[in-house]
Amino acid sequence: MSLALNQWTTRRWSVAEAVDGCVRHGLEAVGLWREKVAEQGLAESIKLVREAGLRVSSLCRGGFLTAGGLPGEDGRRAFAQALDENRRAIDEAAELTAACLVMVVGGLPGVKPGEPLPANRFSRDLAGARERVAEALAELAPYAGERGVKLALEPLHPIYCPDRAVLSTLGQALDLSLPYPEEQVGVVVDTFHVWWDPRLFEDIARAGRRIASYQVCDYLHPLPADVLLGRGMMGDGVIDFGPITRAVLAAGYTGDVEVEIFNADIWAADPDEVVATMKARYEDVVLITP
């Protein structure tokens, strides 16, 4: 495995700055975000990555497929819009030759991340929301396969189930992936989201080569008021990385290990210092595999 910088860890960096930073710090891969790629320009982002000799370990993100669970015409229109947006994301991932397109599948229909519940304009049908994800995959997986893109379903910690991801466990994500060839649909193992799961090691072994991305950061305690920013540098929280890394390796994963951190203090710090710390913690904390 090789260390990769997920662009959101050094959020202030543009694509050009992230690529330059990876080269300066001796990293071989970068995980890009669509917002940053759009700001830089897709063609320019491709050029920068290729001229630097970097791999794109992932493109974040596709998904938010559950709005189709709204009733009537609103639901049909939202579902069609989500499919169109995800086809664009797949096309971008193909042009970037990204190892995978990370899919954050969406929360309850009508519930928007970080916003109050809309009065009478959302659905509590959790099972139905998961069905919408399955329906969307049936449309998107063949499209991705034709373009050589692997969709990587990312389960998120249950605290994000209402507004970001109705998939909360690796097992749920894996079950949704199984009807498709492994080169079309895989799963993400993100330590922040799955460290607590009592079935984690069983499901990592079951996933095998469907593991499309291994993302690492720590789970801070106590969480901040904005729980989205509760990710920490490896070693600063409660996660025992060694057993998880061993399990991912034993499952056959040979891809990059992305450090993806959402944390206001880390975003405010000098990005070069963040990357230097990231490298040291990767060696000292993540790769402890006796």
Side-chain angles (χ1 to χ4, degrees):
M1 298 189 298
S2 177
L3 179 62
L5 170 68
N6 183 288
Q7 194 175 10
W8 226 241
T9 300
T10 51
R11 188 175 177 179
R12 286 189 286 150
W13 273 352
S14 65
V15 171
E17 291 168 328
V19 167
D20 183 61
C22 286
V23 172
R24 285 200 316 277
H25 288 274
L27 302 181
E28 298 177 358
V30 61
L32 297 178
W33 277 69
R34 294 184 68 208
E35 295 92 325
K36 296 288 189 179
V37 169
E39 291 171 4
Q40 189 76 53
L42 178 59
E44 179 65 14
S45 298
I46 293 168
K47 179 182 177 183
L48 287 165
V49 169
R50 290 180 181 170
E51 289 183 350
L54 297 178
R55 297 183 297 277
V56 178
S57 50
S58 73
L59 180 64
C60 292
R61 62 192 185 223
F64 290 90
L65 306 167
T66 56
L70 292 171
E73 183 59 29
D74 286 348
R76 288 188 290 272
R77 182 169 57 249
F79 191 63
Q81 290 172 345
L83 291 178
D84 286 345
E85 182 59 30
N86 277 275
R87 292 186 187 103
R88 285 190 286 272
I90 290 166
D91 292 343
E92 292 167 16
E95 293 195 54
L96 287 160
T97 61
C100 64
L101 174 65
V102 174
M103 303 289 285
V104 176
V105 298
L108 292 172
V111 180
K112 296 182 179 180
E115 296 185 11
L117 291 177
N120 301 319
R121 293 296 301 159
F122 75 97
S123 170
R124 292 184 172 89
D125 184 3
L126 178 57
R130 290 171 177 152
E131 289 175 5
R132 299 295 84 73
V133 177
E135 290 173 6
L137 275 181
E139 296 283 342
L140 295 172
Y143 186 89
E146 291 169 0
R147 287 151 184 80
V149 172
K150 177 179 280 192
L151 305 179
L153 301 175
E154 181 170 18
L156 268 58
H157 192 284
I159 55 176
Y160 303 114
C161 188
D163 60 352
R164 285 183 169 84
V166 294
L167 299 182
S168 300
T169 69
L170 185 61
Q172 287 175 321
L174 181 58
D175 288 344
L176 272 181
S177 78
L178 291 178
Y180 306 99
E182 64 180 33
E183 61 270 17
Q184 285 186 11
V185 185
V187 295
V188 180
V189 176
D190 183 319
T191 55
F192 178 86
H193 293 302
V194 301
W195 70 274
W196 58 274
D197 186 351
R199 291 178 56 91
L200 176 61
F201 298 105
E202 176 183 338
D203 284 327
I204 287 176
R206 189 164 65 98
R209 299 188 65 83
R210 283 191 186 268
I211 298 174
S213 179
Y214 180 34
Q215 295 181 336
V216 297
C217 71
D218 220 329
Y219 189 101
L220 299 179
H221 183 78
L223 290 171
D226 185 349
V227 295
L228 185 65
L229 306 184
R231 294 168 172 253
M233 189 65 71
M234 297 81 71
D236 289 348
V238 300
I239 297 176
D240 186 3
F241 289 91
I244 301 175
T245 298
R246 287 196 296 272
V248 169
L249 284 169
Y253 183 72
T254 58
D256 297 299
V257 183
E258 280 189 7
V259 176
E260 183 188 56
I261 301 176
F262 292 39
N263 182 293
D265 292 336
I266 288 175
W267 289 343
D270 180 339
D272 281 294
E273 292 181 3
V274 170
V275 176
T277 302
M278 178 185 94
K279 289 177 63 179
R281 297 290 182 88
Y282 175 71
E283 294 287 344
D284 295 341
V285 178
V286 177
L287 291 186
I288 303 300
T289 59

